[in-house]
Amino acid sequence: MSVPAALDRHLRDLLSSGQVRCVLGPAAGCGPRGTAHLARTPEAVDRFELSPLACANVLVHLTSEEARRDDARRPVAVLARPCETRMLNQLLSERAIERDELHVVGLGGCRGVIDSRKLRERLPELRGFPEVREEGDTFVIEGEGMEPVSVPRNELLLDRCSGCDISEPLFHDHTFPLADAAPTSAAEAECAPEPSDEGWDYWADQFERCIRCYACRDACPLCYCEDCVLDRLRPMWVPRSVSLKNNTAYQLIRVLHLSGRCTACGECEQACPVDLPLLTLARKMEQEMRELYGARSGFDPEGRHPMSVFDPNDPEGTDFEEQGR
Amino acid sequence: MKAVIAREDVGRLLAIAARRDELHVPVLDGGGGRFVPLNAEDPVPRDGLMLNGSSARRPPKEVLFAQTAPLFAFELRRGDFSIDELPPEAATKVLFGVRPCDGRGFRVLDSLLLGKCGTDPAYASARQGSVLVGIGCGRPGSDCFCTSVGGDPHGTDGLDVLATDLGDALHLESLTDGGEGWLRAIAAAVDSPLTPANPETDQRCREAHEEARGRVPRHVDLEPLDAVLERAFDDELWDDLAAACIGCGACTFLCPTCRCFDVQDEVRGDRGLRVRVWDSCMFREYTQEAGGHNPRPRRGMRWRNRFYDKFRWGAHDGQPACVGCGRCITHCPSGVDLIDLVERVVESGGAA
C-alpha cells in the first residue's frame, strides 16, 4: 500500500509544476514505526505511506532547525491527518509558519492510528513494517513471514486517538479520503486524562527514569525555539546532572512552556525511549487550560494565546476595583 | 570452570553474589528495563528479572560509566578556595545478566576511557575488578544484528563469565581469571546451588549457541563500507540521510558504546560540584566552542560524526564500535534505521 492514485497524481503535479518545493508526509519505517519523508521530486512520492502505522512525527520537520535553513519561499505541501491540521492551526496562530508557506493536503475520514509500541507488545515476533488492513473494528496485521493476525482496534489505537473528536481536517487546500474505508464519526467516548491517585509519588517514579535525551522536546512541533532555555549553559537554568530534582525541573519547564499551546498530539510520549507517560501530562494541562480559560489550542489560526492576552474578567486576574485603584 | 544451576535456584545464586560484592542485575522498570543494584537483603525480583527474552533497554554501560559522575566538590570559604576530592568507588562491581553485545560494548568504552590517551579516574575505579557475567541471547530482539559486526548471541568477548540458557537450567562458564575467581567463590559458598557441568549439558550448550545464531533477525554487509567512508566525508549524502532525524539523544544514550561526555560545574552559592555528564553528538550544542563557533552546525554533519565513530574512528582490533544491539533502531523516535543508512552509504559509493 502506498497512497491512493488520485492523491499520488495530485502530489506529483504539485512537485512537477513547481507549485510546492517539497512534500512532507508519513512513510513506512524499518520496524513497526513509521518515519517522516520529504519528497523533492515526483519520483520520491512513491515512498509515502498512509497506513495507520505510519504516523511518526511529521510536522516537527516544518519548524525544525533544518527546515528554517531552507529559505526558499515556495510552499511546502503537507499530508495532514485531521489532528495534524489542528497542530498546523496552532503553528499558524503563533506565526511559526505563514499560511502562504503551506499547501495542506488534508486526509479525511481518519479513524485513528496505531501505537507501534502496543503493536510490538502484542506481536513481539513481528519483523519489519507490516501491512495493515482495517476491517470493521479490527486491524488485520500481516507481517513478514507471518499469518495475518486480527487485533481489535481499541487494543492498538494510540491513546490520543481514542478520545479524539475530529475526524475531518479543520482546513485544507485539497482533501482526500484515507484509503477506501468509509469515514465514520470518530466521536467515541471523550476520554479524560487518567488521574493518578498516587499523585506526586507516581510522577517522582516516572521522572526518576528520565534519561534526559530531549526526545520529547525534539519531537514536539511546538518546541521550535532556536535558543532553548533547557540547552543554556550560561546560566545553566537546569543542571545537566541527571537526578529526580533536575529531571523534574526539565519536564515541568518543558510542559509549562507548552501550556495553552499544546494540542495533546502525543508525539512526546511516542518519542520517549523509556516510556514516560508524557501524554497524560499534556492532556492534564490541556484540560486545565480549558477549564480555567475556556481555551482550546489549535482551533483558530487567528487565535491569541490565553497567556498573552489581558482580560479584566480573568478568573485568576487581580480585582483592580476591589483594590481601589 | 563450568557449572550448572537449576533455573529456580538463580535467586539463591544472586543472594550469594550480593553478599560478596556490589551486584547489579537487569530488571523491568516500566521503561523497558535497566540494571539496578541488588542488595543481599533484597528479595530477588521474580517476574522483573530480565534474563531471558529481550535485553534491558538501557544497557549496563551506566553502571560503570554513570550518566552523571561527580568528580570533586569545591567551596569558597572566607576568601579561601578549597577542593574536596571525592573518595573513589571501593566495592567490586558484579554485573549479572550482561548480553554479549553489551559485554563487547565495554571493550569500546575501555579503549577510550582506559586507553592510551589517558585514564578516566571515575571509570577506572568503577571498572577496577568488575566481573561481567554474561547471558547469551536465546531470543535476539527485533533489530539485532550482532553477527554482522563480529559478535554472536553467545559471544564471549569482553565478558568474564558466560551463562547459557538451557531452559530448565543455566550453564555457566568462566572466561577470564576474574570470572574464574568469582565462579569458584560462588561454588565454594556453603549454600551454593551450583552443580558441575557434564558432557550432556556441554552438548545442550553447543546446540543452544548454534540455534541462537540462526535467530539473529537482521544482517548488513560491512565489508564494502570502509572503502566508501574513506572518500564519503564531504559527500552531500549526509544531509539526506539525516532528513528524518529529530536531533535528540535517544540513540546515543541507549547505545552501549557511545562514550562522549561533558564536564560542567554546578554551582550554588559558595559551593559547587564538578560533574562529568553524558553528552551526545546528536545535540546541537555538542562541542560548540566558547566563542560560538559550531564545528557541526548541520544535523547531517552530526549524523556523519556518529556514523564515522561507529564504523571508522571508533573501530579497534579490526571491529567496528557498533556491537549490533539494535537499540538505536528499535527505539529511534523518528524511525531512522542504522542498517538502512549503512546500505545507503555503501550504495552511494562516496564522493565521485
Side-chain angles (χ1 to χ4, degrees), chain B residues 27 44 80 98 121 134 208 224 226-227 232 253 267 291 303 310 316 320 347:
Chain B
V27 297
V44 174
D80 259 358
V98 175
D226 201 56
F253 285 4
V267 185
W303 244 101
K310 291 290 168 253
H316 67 115
E347 210 174 292

Side-chain angles (χ1 to χ4, degrees), chain B residues 3-276:
Chain B
V4 174
I5 179 170
R7 188 159 260 291
E8 65 264 25
D9 289 334
V10 170
R12 281 169 59 204
L13 179 144
L14 293 179
I16 297 170
R19 282 205 302 269
R20 283 177 44 84
D21 302 298
E22 185 186 308
L23 179 68
H24 295 258
V25 293
V27 297
L28 279 171
D29 66 344
R34 62 173 145 165
F35 279 71
V36 298
L38 186 72
N39 298 317
E41 59 273 18
D42 290 347
V44 174
R46 235 166 223 295
D47 303 325
L49 205 56
M50 300 181 77
L51 294 182
N52 45 5
S54 60
S55 58
R57 196 172 300 165
R58 282 162 66 167
K61 166 175 86 170
E62 63 188 347
V63 177
L64 301 179
F65 180 58
Q67 182 165 10
T68 305
L71 301 178
F72 57 81
F74 51 88
E75 192 178 356
L76 199 61
R77 277 193 218 102
R78 286 190 223 101
D80 259 358
F81 186 73
S82 71
I83 288 182
D84 295 318
E85 299 287 344
L86 300 170
E89 303 254 3
T92 299
K93 291 179 186 339
V94 174
L95 281 63
F96 189 95
V98 175
R99 301 300 170 128
C101 52
D102 294 338
R104 292 183 70 214
F106 282 109
R107 291 274 215 205
V108 181
L109 299 185
D110 291 349
S111 73
L112 175 79
L113 301 165
L114 307 176
K116 49 182 180 287
C117 300
T119 296
D120 179 283
Y123 180 73
S125 64
R127 185 82 165 100
Q128 175 76 37
S130 62
V131 179
L132 305 183
V133 183
I135 182 142
C137 287
R139 281 184 287 163
S142 57
D143 293 301
C144 288
F145 59 103
C146 62
T147 47
S148 298
V149 288
D152 187 276
H154 290 84
T156 56
D157 189 20
L159 296 175
D160 297 296
V161 177
L162 176 68
T164 302
D165 191 349
L166 302 179
D168 53 352
L170 291 185
H171 175 277
L172 298 163
E173 180 175 4
S174 64
L175 307 163
T176 62
D177 291 346
E180 177 83 10
W182 180 81
L183 199 53
R184 281 194 187 284
I186 299 289
V190 281
D191 53 349
S192 176
L194 292 181
T195 55
N198 57 52
E200 190 247 327
T201 53
D202 284 351
Q203 176 60 27
R204 284 171 65 196
C205 213
R206 278 192 295 274
E207 285 165 12
H209 293 186
E210 192 56 44
E211 211 178 314
R213 205 167 294 136
R215 286 200 189 130
V216 176
R218 301 195 64 185
H219 304 277
V220 61
D221 180 12
L222 290 183
E223 210 273 312
L225 184 61
D226 201 56
V228 176
L229 289 183
E230 179 99 40
R231 39 177 204 270
F233 192 83
D234 294 317
D235 204 318
E236 280 171 13
L237 93 149
W238 301 103
D239 287 327
D240 277 348
L241 292 177
C245 172
I246 58 169
C248 76
C251 51
T252 54
F253 285 4
L254 295 184
C255 176
T257 72
C258 273
R259 55 216 177 283
C260 283
F261 58 84
D262 192 9
V263 174
Q264 291 292 340
D265 286 346
E266 298 183 353
V267 185
R268 209 178 160 145
D270 290 341
R271 310 168 67 128
L273 202 59
R274 178 159 293 182
V275 289
R276 190 197 62 200

